[in-house]
Amino acid sequence: MIPTPALWRCMAVVEVCDQVKGLDDLIREESLNYRWEVAANSPKGFVWYELHVDSGGSEHRAARTAWAILWSLKRLSEEGGLPDFRIVSGGEWLNIPPSELQQPDEGARLSST
């Protein structure tokens, strides 16, 4: 079987205090195919990171990955481990009902509700 090439898609932008030197060191999800890219412009005192997810496998898997990463960052922030965190864009991924996150990837499509 030939692996599907990565099709990177920016799913969210998050903001953290510029004292945080990298999100990769704070959260590692080895089973998910994602990467962080520092945005070209950020407000003074902050760094904006773009969450890029491989959407080549399926739309459902990409949405589930965005949800998992954003949820982990949100939880880390609430526990005090990520100063000045906020989701600049892409927060809608956290609104996906848990029942839709459990669907299999085969032929799954996210509803627009």
Side-chain angles (χ1 to χ4, degrees):
M1 176 183 257
I2 299 172
T4 305
L7 181 59
W8 296 106
R9 175 179 167 196
C10 183
M11 302 286 279
V13 176
V14 300
E15 176 181 273
V16 296
C17 175
D18 64 1
Q19 302 299 313
V20 175
K21 295 303 176 198
L23 293 180
D24 285 337
D25 294 332
L26 294 175
I27 182 168
R28 291 183 190 256
E29 296 290 340
E30 302 292 333
S31 63
L32 302 175
N33 201 4
Y34 71 98
R35 66 182 184 199
W36 293 107
E37 292 186 15
V38 177
N41 296 310
S42 301
K44 185 175 180 160
F46 298 92
V47 178
W48 282 9
Y49 288 93
E50 297 175 351
L51 172 62
H52 290 257
V53 171
D54 179 9
S55 61
S58 76
E59 178 182 331
H60 184 75
R61 184 177 299 147
R64 190 172 56 214
T65 298
W67 180 89
I69 298 302
L70 292 174
W71 184 257
S72 294
L73 288 173
K74 183 179 176 201
R75 188 175 59 237
L76 182 63
S77 175
E78 290 169 352
E79 294 170 354
L82 188 57
D84 297 323
F85 168 77
R86 80 178 175 105
I87 299 172
V88 176
S89 67
E92 67 272 10
W93 299 114
L94 292 175
N95 296 326
I96 298 171
S99 60
E100 287 193 26
L101 291 169
Q102 300 304 319
Q103 293 177 358
D105 290 324
E106 302 274 336
R109 306 268 327 154
L110 291 175
S111 69
S112 58
T113 58

